[in-house]
Amino acid sequence: MATIRVNPDDPDPASIKRAAEIIRSGGLVAFPTETVYGLGANALDEDAVYGIFLIKGRPLWDPLIVHLSSTDMVKLVAKSVPDIFHPLSERFMPGPLTLVVEKSEIVPDITTAGLPTVAVRIPNHPVALALIRESGVPIAAPSANRFGRPSPTSAHHVLEDFGDSIDLLLDGGETKIGVESTVLDITRTPPVLLRPGGVSKEEIEEVVGRVEVFRGGTRVAPSPGMSPRHYAPRAEILLVDEEDMKKAAEDMVKKASGLLEKGLKVGVIAPDEVASFISNLPISVRKTGRWGEWGEMARRLFRELRSLDGEGADAIICILPPPRGIGLAIRDRLIRASFKGDPHSSLTIL
């Protein structure tokens, strides 16, 4: 796989042109967005989209997000756009919000996993926007990682998972948000939050009023990132759900000590204040900023999961933030990463 280093704020036109030619010819290009790195193909080319599923090992029942460069492009892929789309797009696009709308016939079924809807977003990243514009087509782009693995927040993570198996990687440095976009189904009233992400439920409700949270009940994923086990490192994930820092630290010490007694290698991901309580144990500790700085934890989460995996950790203990703001998105990722149950069951993240 060829890798081109690009300025994330002002990408070289020649590099973007080369990447766009690959997209138009049916190839695969990994590129940065403000959330995570995406693995892109022409969303209207069935064979190219199938290549995404094949390379990722992604099941065909898991729909893809279609990335656009402007709201004008929505008319190409959407059969109809509800009135609610406009205030949401004015507030959050470009940005980490994906909206589910009725799809047009031009979008192949493979892109939407056979669903009558399509998930669209406009990424807030100069490289991504330049690539879509130069390609002249909507780009289907799930996260650029093997299916079920922690999402990639740097070009290095993409290389870890794919090596030379894709056509081109645009290296734009680390991503800024670190968790994927929020997915909101606006074909329903009230709209339904399918996946929490970079735009919080509270922020959306400021614009459109009440939003429901998806509770499961279907065996076909209505949105990307909804399989019960997802975002998972090779290590086992153990969770602590406690807002009192002292109690959280005590719980972590208890869990870590039990694992160490079994001869296991242990890692911890926790806010600074909690991490300081457990620094005397023979474990690898990754700090994620101060308690309540959940945006910082989101930015670091997948990086630290991959880092501890690379060190050979057998188990990783993580603290769950409260289900508010971007904390809800982090809870979602960690609960799915730790999942061991029925693959068709639904999860509770609130």
Side-chain angles (χ1 to χ4, degrees):
M1 169 173 52
T3 300
I4 300 176
R5 175 70 180 175
V6 293
N7 184 327
D9 300 314
D10 186 20
D12 171 38
S15 300
I16 296 299
K17 183 177 181 180
R18 179 179 173 185
E21 288 171 349
I22 291 171
I23 293 291
R24 286 194 299 271
S25 66
L28 302 180
V29 175
F31 60 94
T33 76
E34 77 278 26
T35 56
V36 299
Y37 272 70
L39 179 61
N42 180 353
L44 308 182
D45 182 334
E46 290 188 38
D47 291 338
V49 172
Y50 180 69
I52 291 176
F53 286 94
L54 190 64
I55 292 296
K56 280 179 62 74
R58 184 186 182 99
L60 292 174
W61 48 255
D62 200 359
L64 305 180
I65 291 173
V66 174
H67 291 67
L68 313 172
S69 60
S70 70
T71 53
D72 287 340
M73 285 189 79
V74 176
K75 300 170 187 175
L76 176 66
V77 298
K79 180 179 180 181
S80 63
V81 176
D83 291 341
I84 196 175
F85 176 90
H86 303 293
L88 287 168
S89 63
E90 288 174 6
R91 173 77 178 271
F92 300 113
M93 291 185 175
L97 177 64
T98 295
L99 298 177
V100 175
V101 297
E102 289 187 67
K103 77 167 186 173
S104 69
E105 293 181 358
I106 197 174
V107 182
D109 285 344
I110 191 171
T111 302
T112 64
L115 294 171
T117 54
V118 61
V120 298
R121 97 172 182 101
I122 303 171
N124 188 18
H125 195 290
V127 174
L129 291 172
L131 176 60
I132 301 165
R133 291 190 193 106
E134 184 67 25
S135 300
V137 295
I139 294 180
S143 54
N145 58 297
R146 298 288 181 185
F147 183 74
R149 291 270 293 148
S151 295
T153 58
S154 72
H156 174 68
H157 298 158
V158 180
L159 289 168
E160 277 184 341
D161 279 16
F162 292 125
D164 294 327
S165 60
I166 61 179
D167 299 302
L168 181 65
L169 165 61
L170 295 175
D171 179 358
E174 291 201 356
T175 62
K176 293 181 179 179
I177 295 178
V179 294
E180 300 80 357
S181 63
T182 301
V183 181
L184 185 72
D185 185 348
I186 59 172
T187 67
R188 311 187 207 183
T189 304
V192 178
L193 183 71
L194 299 178
R195 181 181 72 181
V199 174
S200 72
K201 176 175 178 284
E202 294 86 348
E203 288 174 312
I204 294 169
E205 288 182 327
E206 288 177 1
V207 177
V208 299
R210 184 169 69 91
V211 169
E212 292 187 351
V213 177
F214 181 73
R215 301 295 184 184
T218 175
R219 295 174 75 89
V220 177
S223 165
M226 295 189 69
S227 56
R229 181 166 175 80
H230 211 59
Y231 313 108
R234 298 178 187 88
E236 180 183 8
I237 299 292
L238 291 86
L239 302 177
V240 172
D241 194 1
E242 175 59 68
E243 291 197 42
D244 182 285
M245 284 183 289
K246 187 172 186 299
K247 291 180 179 178
E250 291 171 351
D251 194 358
M252 281 191 160
V253 168
K254 182 178 179 180
K255 283 181 166 61
S257 298
L259 294 166
L260 290 170
E261 288 175 4
K262 296 178 182 179
L264 300 178
K265 188 171 183 178
V266 181
V268 164
I269 298 176
D272 299 356
E273 298 91 332
V274 175
S276 64
F277 280 104
I278 55 179
S279 58
N280 60 327
L281 291 176
I283 58 179
S284 294
V285 178
R286 298 291 192 275
K287 298 180 180 180
T288 60
R290 295 185 61 80
W291 180 267
E293 293 180 345
W294 305 120
E296 184 63 16
M297 183 176 185
R299 190 178 68 81
R300 299 185 192 183
L301 178 63
F302 290 137
R303 180 183 69 191
E304 303 303 0
L305 286 174
R306 283 179 172 267
S307 174
L308 289 169
D309 231 10
E311 288 186 4
D314 299 299
I316 303 172
I317 306 170
C318 304
I319 194 164
L320 287 171
R324 300 183 294 274
I326 202 168
L328 183 65
I330 300 170
R331 287 179 72 91
D332 172 77
R333 305 314 188 265
L334 285 173
I335 289 171
R336 293 182 192 279
S338 69
F339 187 77
K340 302 182 187 68
D342 179 355
H344 296 296
S345 63
S346 56
L347 296 178
T348 300
I349 59 174
L350 293 173

